[in-house]
Structure formats: structure tokens, C-alpha cells
Amino acid sequence: MSDIAFMTRLRREVERRRTFAIISHPDAGKTTLTEKLLLFGGAIRMAGAVKAKKASRHATSDWMAIEKERGISVTSSVMQFDYDGFAVNLLDTPGHQDFSEDTYRVLTAVDSALMVIDSVKGVETQTRKLMDVCRMRDTPIMTFINKLDRDGMSPFELFDDIEGSLGIECAAMTWPIGMGKGFQGVYDIPQKMLRFFQAGEDKGARPRESVLVRGLDDPELDRQVGARAADALRHDIELLEGAGYPFDHERYLAGKQTPVFFGSAVNNFGVRELLDAFLRHAPAPRPRQTETREVSPLEEPFSGVVFKIQANMDPAHRDRMAFLRVNSGCFTRGTRVSHQRTGKDMLVHNATIFMAQDRQSAEEAWPGDIIGIPNHGTLRIGDTLCGREPLRYLGIPHFAPEHFRRVILKNPFKAKQMEKGLQQLTEEGAIQLFRPVTGREHILGAVGVLQFDVIIERLRAEYDVLIAVEPVNIAAVRWLAGETAALDRLRREHTSAMLTDSDGLPAMSFANEWRLEKALEEWPQVTFLTVRECVAV
């Protein structure tokens, strides 16, 4: 392929890609919406919502055993499909607050986000936290207000809640016809079109469009939804036109305005409108910042960054997979790349693309695509793979844990298996491993306590290792940076509090908040870090 032909194709492939994450508070319907988007995209024929603990069918995006048992998502999944000429990379993130660190790193790999809000509960705690993460990166956000098949807050109350709680303008793109048992469909405001869906259809199949009503003045609207519902819709739209925010594409791309769609994912109400509008308006891959410069996706040399490590996606093969976001150029099978952290070349000849746990060989991948690279401990979160120019992408963090437990091995003869399991599972970054410099203990740290249940279960199921965890007298851990002399003196005076993490970086533990505050006052030459970049070590 000539240089001109390659650059023409590169531009075309970049423009048709949409890479986004779905974020929400637990139980807002995120996983169900993910299933329905995959259904419309043709990636699955039947959408199976997350079922109760003992049900036989589980979400397509939930593949880990503990996810299927508990009916929750505890790790991020990548799903790729084509729809209407677009190449869509959908990243389903954990909704549970205990897995926010995995969600944060996923948000560093996407170009936009789709936020799901429960119409009954409105904005919830985890929604606020995720919104703060998106705001840090000015991530464009679309909003889907879900569960209109239930009686909940009025659409105007929901708008007030979103704007007041999240500090972002709401621009209505669709508007509901009724609510609860009276929910009949949604009105597409930009296209001035009502899409009316019949209730009671097979919830796992594509919905059958029954009526299209063009414009609010069409008498067919009254005949289909009833005069009362039609008048209420006309009244609401008139209020919106007078007091609401019109959709502004530039404000959306800047993260200042969120286009809002209404529907019911489980009943397929409003999902098609959401997907069609999302693909029209969401951004294609954009430039990304490295230590030295900004890299455009339209640059010819290949580059990408590892934002996630996942162990044992295929338990039969005990594999580890590095998830890499392509940021520029084109990946092709057999590409030789430079591993930024080690300075060594790598030949990548067996990369994969994903559909939840299903995978197929990646012959090529373009900016915005997510590929999996089999990993035997070489790749870590934050690593950059690139061509001749040395680059290191920024912005992929580790957070200081908030909860800590000591590991107790139940069978001492399994010590080597435990070491291997802890090493591989903590590479994923959701839970962290610390070792005291004066002892042989294994200290686990996590943002949320449910992570301890996950690692106990995964060590049992994936490594045949039984452990228990017990409380440890640690309230906080901070990584250390600063003047060498000051760090050496700190280590000598507080040897018993010194730790190293799984990357060998120095850290210090504190039994309570008072000791941490005292250290901050007494050691001004030392920086006590709550967040650290995934850096070369």
C-alpha cells in the first residue's frame, strides 16, 4: 500500500471509530443497556439480562465466576462490533463502588462515556464520583435515563437533579411519553419524530417499530397515545424550548453539556435512538498526551498504551492478557514495537480482539481499537508500545488503597502457588500488594472491601490456593518521594512502617489519620503520594 493510500485509509478508519465506556451507579441498568446495544449492533442475537444468583443465564459482558454468582460486574469487559458503518469499541465498567480504580483506568482509554441514571433514584453517589473522573479529563458524556417503565421522578425533576448534582447542562434529545405502566415511547426532538413501541414484546429480541408520527401536530399522535398524553408531550416540549438548553455539539465535546435520552433498556424503549445519535455525535479518536508531546491518531507510526491487565480470562490456559488502546498508526499481525519501559523490542504476532470472553485474532487494529496481547509478566499497566520514537503516554494512575488486610495461607505447602497468584492478580491493579521491609507478611490494599472477597475466590478457583484475610493495624498507605537524604532518614526512623509495593516502590503505612497528619508536618522534604502514575521502574 502506498503512503498516500495508507494515510487515506488511516483517516477513514479513525473517523468511523467510536470508543466509549458505560458508567453508572450499581443497579441503574448499565449491564442491561450494554446487552441491548450489542443486540442492535448484531453482536448477539438474544440479550440475556443479568439474572439472580442461581440463574443459568448471565450477562454477555460478565465472564468471571464470581460475577455470574453474584450478578454484578467486577471487572471491565471490552466488546467490539460494527454498526451502520461505524466500528464500535464498547467498554463495560464495574458499577460497584469497590471497583472504581478499574473504572478510572478504563476511562483513560476511551474518547467518551455513556452515563446511565435510574429514573426512580436519580443521581446517586457512585454517579457523582464517576462524573468527577470524567470531568478531570473533560470526557464528553451522553446520558441515558433508564427504567421509564417504572414510576419515578418526573423528567424535569431528573434534569434539575443532574444539573444540580453533577454541574453539567442537560440537553433533551428524546422525551418520554408517560411513565410506569403508562410509558408508551419516546419523542425524538431533533428529528421531530415519535417512535412508538408496543409493550409485551420479547424483551430479548429487536423491538418492532409499530408507528412513526412525524411532528407534534400530526393527528396520528393523538390517535396512538391518546389526547391526554399527546397534550402533555406538547406542553413539556414547549417548556423545554422556552427554558431548556438546546443541544450544542461543541459544548458536548468539551464536557460541559450532556445530551439526554430517555427509555427502558430492559424493554428496548429508546435504545435505538440512543445508539444512532451516539454514533452521529460522539467523538472519533482524538490526540493523546505523552511526556514529550501530543500524538495525533493520524500519525503513521504505531503507538499504544496498556491500560489494563487481566489474568486467567481463559482458566484452562492460565493466561494473562494486556489490554492495549491503539493511539496512532495501524497495528498489524507481526508488528515489531519498542517496549518503552524496558527499551527492548517486541514482536506482537498473536494479538486478539474481544467480545467479552470470546476472542478472535487481530489481523489489524486502528486508533481507538482495543487489542489484547498475551502477557507473561513483561507488560504492566501504563506501558507504552511504539515505533522508533520513544514515547510514554501519561495519565494512568494507581490510587492509594483505603482498606487493608493481612493474608493468611491455609496450606503452607501452597506458598509458591500463592506467590504466583498474588503476583498475577495484583498486576491487574484493582487490588495492591505490599510487603513490610522488616517482615515476610503479605498486605493487601484495596479501594473497596469487596475486592478482598474477589481475590480470595479467584485464588481458590484459578490457583487452587485457600487463603483467609484478617484486619491489620493500617489506616492509610502513602507512596514516598522527595530528597534522597530525607527519605533515607525517614526510613531509618520509621523502619517498622516501611513497605514496598509490587513494583518495588517505597511506601509508608500509618496506623491512623493522626500519624499521617503528623508525618506531613514533620517531613516537609518528603512527598506522601495518594496517587502515583504507572511509571517505569
Side-chain angles (χ1 to χ4, degrees):
M1 185 184 299
S2 69
D3 290 345
I4 295 177
F6 174 81
M7 294 307 294
T8 299
R9 187 176 178 203
L10 174 61
R11 181 177 296 277
R12 184 173 68 250
E13 295 293 344
V14 168
E15 288 175 351
R16 77 184 195 94
R17 266 158 177 78
R18 300 291 184 269
T19 302
F20 70 103
I22 301 185
I23 60 176
S24 79
H25 191 87
D27 299 321
K30 172 182 59 63
T31 303
T32 303
L33 178 61
T34 300
E35 295 270 335
K36 298 307 170 77
L37 292 174
L38 294 174
L39 175 70
F40 281 114
I44 55 177
R45 290 185 183 140
M46 181 67 69
V50 174
K51 299 297 181 182
K53 185 175 179 179
K54 295 184 179 180
S56 60
R57 182 194 287 171
H58 308 278
T60 301
S61 56
D62 292 341
W63 55 270
M64 197 182 293
I66 193 170
E67 294 178 301
K68 296 177 179 179
E69 291 168 5
R70 300 196 181 201
I72 58 170
S73 297
V74 301
T75 185
S76 301
S77 298
V78 178
M79 289 148 282
Q80 188 177 77
F81 62 91
D82 288 328
Y83 178 80
D84 197 25
F86 291 92
V88 182
N89 293 288
L90 189 163
L91 283 73
D92 178 31
T93 64
H96 198 287
Q97 61 185 3
D98 285 9
F99 304 91
S100 55
E101 187 162 356
D102 193 27
T103 299
Y104 185 98
R105 281 196 284 266
V106 166
L107 289 172
T108 68
V110 300
D111 302 300
S112 62
L114 178 58
M115 179 168 61
V116 184
I117 291 179
D118 186 330
S119 67
V120 180
K121 299 176 181 178
V123 176
E124 299 175 84
T125 303
Q126 185 66 3
T127 315
R128 295 185 182 93
K129 292 181 179 179
L130 292 168
M131 185 67 186
D132 289 340
V133 171
C134 291
R135 188 172 283 112
M136 290 168 62
R137 304 176 61 84
D138 294 325
T139 304
I141 295 173
M142 282 194 184
T143 298
F144 184 73
I145 297 180
N146 193 25
K147 302 185 182 180
L148 267 292
D149 55 316
R150 302 181 186 179
D151 290 318
M153 300 168 64
S154 76
F156 287 110
E157 288 175 329
L158 288 162
F159 270 39
D160 288 343
D161 190 21
I162 294 169
E163 292 180 349
S165 300
L166 304 181
I168 191 169
E169 297 173 2
C170 291
M173 303 295 281
T174 66
W175 199 255
I177 311 296
M179 184 175 287
K181 291 183 179 179
F183 180 49
Q184 301 189 59
V186 292
Y187 177 66
D188 188 320
I189 294 173
Q191 298 189 45
K192 300 186 183 302
M193 178 184 295
L194 175 78
R195 296 185 184 271
F196 182 73
F197 296 106
Q198 290 184 348
E201 293 180 324
D202 182 353
K203 294 180 180 181
R206 291 170 179 261
R208 178 167 53 88
E209 294 179 351
S210 54
V211 177
L212 292 177
V213 180
R214 298 190 176 275
L216 292 175
D217 295 330
D218 190 336
E220 188 68 20
L221 173 60
D222 297 76
R223 286 194 288 272
Q224 291 296 332
V225 305
R228 186 173 180 178
D231 287 343
L233 175 63
R234 294 181 181 110
H235 178 260
D236 286 353
I237 299 301
E238 185 178 351
L239 287 177
L240 282 174
E241 290 174 349
Y245 292 100
F247 175 58
D248 185 320
H249 193 240
E250 293 304 315
R251 292 186 67 77
Y252 157 64
L253 292 179
K256 300 181 184 302
Q257 183 185 92
T258 179
V260 180
F261 298 80
F262 291 85
S264 168
V266 73
N267 288 297
N268 285 336
F269 277 118
V271 178
R272 189 194 300 273
E273 291 77 20
L274 172 70
L275 180 58
D276 289 343
F278 177 83
L279 296 177
R280 280 199 309 274
H281 299 300
R286 298 194 281 185
R288 299 252 158 174
Q289 188 63 46
T290 71
E291 269 187 332
T292 52
R293 67 180 182 86
E294 192 175 71
V295 175
S296 166
L298 299 176
E299 294 183 22
E300 183 177 358
F302 164 80
S303 68
V305 62
V306 175
F307 67 93
K308 173 182 173 65
I309 301 288
Q310 185 67 57
N312 302 328
M313 288 189 72
D314 182 355
H317 295 93
R318 291 289 183 263
D319 61 343
R320 279 180 284 173
M321 191 69 71
F323 287 67
L324 179 135
R325 147 96 188 210
V326 179
N327 286 340
S328 68
C330 176
F331 167 85
T332 55
R333 174 181 288 276
T335 294
R336 183 174 293 278
V337 298
S338 173
H339 183 203
Q340 156 271 327
R341 180 169 50 82
T342 64
K344 297 180 179 179
D345 285 351
M346 290 178 57
L347 187 64
V348 183
H349 56 81
N350 53 354
T352 59
I353 58 174
F354 302 99
M355 172 59 198
Q357 82 274 31
D358 297 328
R359 57 181 84 171
Q360 64 186 62
S361 176
E363 297 299 327
E364 62 181 26
W366 302 87
D369 285 343
I370 310 297
I371 60 174
I373 300 175
N375 178 37
H376 302 288
T378 304
L379 296 174
R380 299 181 186 175
I381 292 172
D383 280 359
T384 297
L385 300 183
C386 52
R388 296 176 298 278
E389 179 185 1
L391 299 169
R392 186 172 84 83
Y393 284 100
L394 301 176
I396 300 182
H398 279 301
F399 296 96
E402 299 175 13
H403 305 276
F404 303 88
R405 298 289 188 273
R406 179 187 292 110
V407 175
I408 301 171
L409 177 62
K410 293 188 175 182
N411 182 352
F413 293 104
K414 296 279 188 176
K416 286 187 177 180
Q417 290 99 312
M418 184 189 75
E419 289 280 355
K420 178 181 179 181
L422 288 176
Q423 174 196 347
Q424 294 185 359
L425 294 178
T426 55
E427 280 178 0
E428 297 176 6
I431 199 164
Q432 298 181 50
L433 176 64
F434 297 92
R435 302 292 298 271
V437 297
T438 58
R440 298 173 59 84
E441 293 180 321
H442 297 79
I443 306 297
L444 297 177
V447 172
V449 294
L450 186 55
Q451 286 286 7
F452 300 122
D453 291 342
V454 171
I455 201 163
I456 290 171
E457 170 58 24
R458 292 190 64 188
L459 282 170
R460 182 199 65 79
E462 300 171 21
Y463 297 89
D464 193 27
V465 173
L466 298 179
I467 68 165
V469 297
E470 65 178 13
V472 60
N473 190 30
I474 296 177
V477 166
R478 296 292 184 265
W479 289 284
L480 305 175
E483 300 174 4
T484 302
L487 288 172
D488 289 343
R489 187 161 60 90
L490 178 67
R491 292 189 187 100
R492 287 195 302 271
E493 295 184 16
H494 297 279
T495 303
S496 62
M498 291 297 137
L499 308 168
T500 56
D501 70 5
S502 54
D503 287 330
L505 297 177
M508 183 174 178
S509 65
F510 301 90
N512 51 54
E513 288 296 324
W514 178 82
R515 291 184 182 275
L516 173 57
E517 292 173 4
K518 194 167 185 290
L520 292 172
E521 294 176 4
E522 294 180 349
W523 297 88
Q525 311 97 322
V526 175
T527 302
F528 297 87
L529 299 170
T530 57
V531 180
R532 72 169 176 88
E533 286 261 337
C534 301
V535 297
V537 292

